[in-house]
Amino acid sequence: MTTPVAVITGAGRRLGFYTCQALLDLGYRVFALYRTTTGEIDQLAARGATPVAVDLADPASVDQALVTIRTRTPEVHLLVNNASEFTADEEEEADLARQAARLFQINSIAPMMLMAGLSNCLRAGCTSPAEPTLVVNITDIFVEKPNPTFAAYCASKAALSNLTLSYARSLAPEVRVNAIMPGPIGFLPDHTEEEQARVLSETLLAREGGFDSVVQQIIALLDNQFMTGALIPVDGGRRLA
């Protein structure tokens, strides 16, 4: 049997690292895309993953990463566009414009480049009509419930959500394209106790989901071959609060 191939962005930390670990456990050959070398990338490499350095803010760097991947494998069975940048809006107009351009490049244009640039590899990985390959885009519950303090970020993730639907149509039937919309799955170190308490008070299940909650949903999408164009919240009900 052919070893399945996965490409994961943002592999050097948090959700991307946990996703790579889970896929290695499942026997995938993993291309771990990262911007900054971390101990987690070293761990993945030690397990057999192929680290690929890329700056998603630089289209030329994304193009080079695509060349690297396509040179090393003719087939891709899973693409997870996980990496993103999350910042509050700048106050100055000129700064906001530059920030928005960067956020759209990282959070929506780079994933689009990867979906388009790997489309032939994804189609080649489809062995039968009953076993299409899979793209998972990690968006955000802010797609449906935007936070005005992070308007540029929210808009960039909304663009990725719409791209999910577009590519679900254009890559069918050989490739399925879905999105996962996380909520509070893992607080950052700079979140204060007060900020964490406020977020959890707005979450129906009143707790963090943990990175495994999203990894489990990725695996569920791998198992369910009849899902495409789905936008799936994994948020403990926060979008409803």
Side-chain angles (χ1 to χ4, degrees):
M1 294 179 63
T2 302
T3 300
V5 176
V7 177
I8 315 298
T9 67
R13 58 195 295 268
R14 293 172 59 83
L15 176 58
F17 172 68
Y18 278 84
T19 301
C20 288
Q21 291 273 47
L23 293 171
L24 288 167
D25 290 342
L26 291 173
Y28 276 76
R29 178 186 177 193
V30 173
F31 287 87
L33 276 58
Y34 70 98
R35 184 179 65 178
T36 304
T37 300
T38 62
E40 288 87 347
I41 287 294
D42 293 339
Q43 291 180 51
L44 295 174
R47 292 196 59 189
T50 302
V52 179
V54 61
D55 181 359
L56 298 181
D58 179 2
S61 181
V62 179
D63 283 335
Q64 184 55 55
L66 285 166
V67 170
T68 298
I69 295 166
R70 292 192 300 247
T71 299
R72 297 187 183 188
T73 179
E75 298 179 357
V76 173
H77 302 86
L78 171 63
L79 166 64
V80 180
N81 283 309
N82 159 71
S84 67
E85 186 164 294
F86 177 72
T87 53
D89 288 357
E90 297 285 352
E91 294 185 3
E92 297 296 328
E93 184 175 343
D95 294 335
L96 177 60
R98 284 191 292 270
Q99 177 195 32
R102 177 180 172 85
L103 289 173
F104 270 84
Q105 169 59 39
I106 293 171
N107 296 344
S108 51
I109 297 174
M112 179 177 66
M113 293 175 69
L114 289 166
M115 287 189 285
L118 294 176
S119 59
N120 287 338
C121 295
L122 287 158
R123 288 191 172 102
C126 177
T127 57
S128 76
E131 296 182 354
T133 56
L134 176 64
V135 176
V136 179
N137 294 320
I138 305 299
T139 60
D140 198 299
I141 58 167
F142 285 165
V143 166
E144 292 185 352
K145 190 178 181 181
N147 183 333
T149 302
F150 298 88
Y153 165 82
C154 295
S156 69
K157 285 295 189 176
L160 180 57
S161 182
N162 190 270
L163 285 166
T164 299
L165 303 180
S166 293
Y167 276 86
R169 296 188 67 179
S170 66
L171 296 182
E174 295 92 348
V175 186
R176 299 183 294 118
V177 186
N178 296 282
I180 295 175
M181 305 156 56
I185 60 171
F187 289 112
L188 294 166
D190 57 355
H191 280 123
T192 66
E193 290 186 5
E194 291 77 11
E195 288 171 329
Q196 294 181 36
R198 178 183 56 77
V199 169
L200 295 183
S201 72
E202 299 169 352
T203 303
L204 298 187
L205 297 184
R207 60 181 174 84
E208 282 183 281
F211 299 122
D212 283 345
S213 64
V214 174
V215 173
Q216 289 168 12
Q217 186 57 59
I218 293 172
I219 293 171
L221 285 169
L222 283 169
D223 290 339
N224 190 338
Q225 301 286 348
F226 201 57
M227 289 188 68
T228 195
L231 311 176
I232 306 166
V234 179
D235 68 340
R238 189 182 179 206
R239 75 198 183 285
L240 302 176

